[in-house]
Amino acid sequence: MISGQAGEPVIFLDVDGPLIPFRARPLGQVIPPTLANDTGNPLLDRINPEDGRRLLELGCGLVWATTWGQEANEVVSPRLGLPPLPVVEWPDDAEDLARGLHWKTDALIRWVGGGPFAWIDDELTDTDRRWVAAHHPGGALLRRVDPFQGLTEEDFAAVRRWLNDEHPARTLPVPTFR
């Protein structure tokens, strides 16, 4: 388990959908020149660089839970202003998944080792929530993000509320955005 300190929550992050929405960013959002897209992937300009700051402000361990693997650290982290993050390595084959269970769910439960976690993904369902509730002893928030919008202030607010409920002694301030 990697979470900074024992018992501290981890936030698992998916890339496609939450951080790279399926719809283009609104007009007027300009990519800083230092983050110019030199990878040939036209979707990278949909990353909102402010999401990195907002994720860091949550004050807990961030972990890539994406099929991007280590490439998330090479391509996505710099655009978000994040340091290299731990990456969940996925098993080659999913073991007897319950009907409708996301293929990541069991691997994330094993990875976090019983500790509290939030999982931000665009493919979560009630099946995953029920399975986690039945198989995971620690606190968990499974936050489904609209893949066409990506992360919104509502998503960040939901994670902050969960973190404050999970660890009331470390109540997070509500940031003000300009």
Side-chain angles (χ1 to χ4, degrees):
M1 175 171 83
I2 297 177
S3 60
Q5 297 178 358
E8 286 292 311
V10 169
I11 298 178
F12 290 117
L13 298 167
D14 185 28
V15 171
D16 294 312
L19 294 170
I20 301 177
F22 297 163
R23 250 189 227 134
R25 291 186 303 166
L27 292 175
Q29 284 187 325
V30 179
I31 303 167
T34 57
L35 300 177
N37 186 351
D38 58 358
T39 67
N41 183 336
L43 301 181
L44 290 173
D45 68 355
R46 295 180 182 181
I47 292 175
N48 181 348
E50 286 298 304
D51 285 344
R53 178 184 55 78
R54 293 162 77 179
L55 287 164
L56 290 172
E57 285 175 351
L58 294 172
C60 47
L62 302 174
V63 178
W64 291 123
T66 175
T67 56
W68 281 66
Q70 283 296 337
E71 191 176 6
N73 279 324
E74 298 160 14
V75 177
V76 179
S77 283
R79 285 172 171 75
L80 291 169
L82 296 175
L85 304 177
V87 177
V88 175
E89 299 293 331
W90 307 113
D92 289 333
D93 58 338
E95 298 177 15
D96 300 326
L97 291 181
R99 184 179 174 126
L101 188 66
H102 193 287
W103 60 268
K104 294 179 183 176
T105 307
D106 185 54
L108 294 180
I109 297 298
R110 284 187 272 119
W111 197 93
V112 78
F117 72 94
W119 177 15
I120 299 173
D121 205 305
D122 61 308
E123 297 179 343
L124 295 166
T125 67
D126 287 337
T127 301
D128 299 299
R129 287 181 185 89
R130 285 189 302 270
W131 196 89
V132 168
H135 295 89
H136 181 66
L141 170 70
L142 279 66
R143 180 70 183 182
R144 185 188 179 280
V145 171
D146 179 340
F148 292 98
Q149 285 190 296
L151 282 169
T152 64
E153 178 49 36
E154 184 178 319
D155 297 313
F156 282 101
V159 174
R160 280 192 303 274
R161 278 190 306 274
W162 177 78
L163 287 168
N164 289 336
D165 290 347
E166 188 69 26
H167 293 277
R170 65 185 289 274
T171 300
L172 299 168
V174 176
T176 56
F177 297 101
R178 296 178 220 141

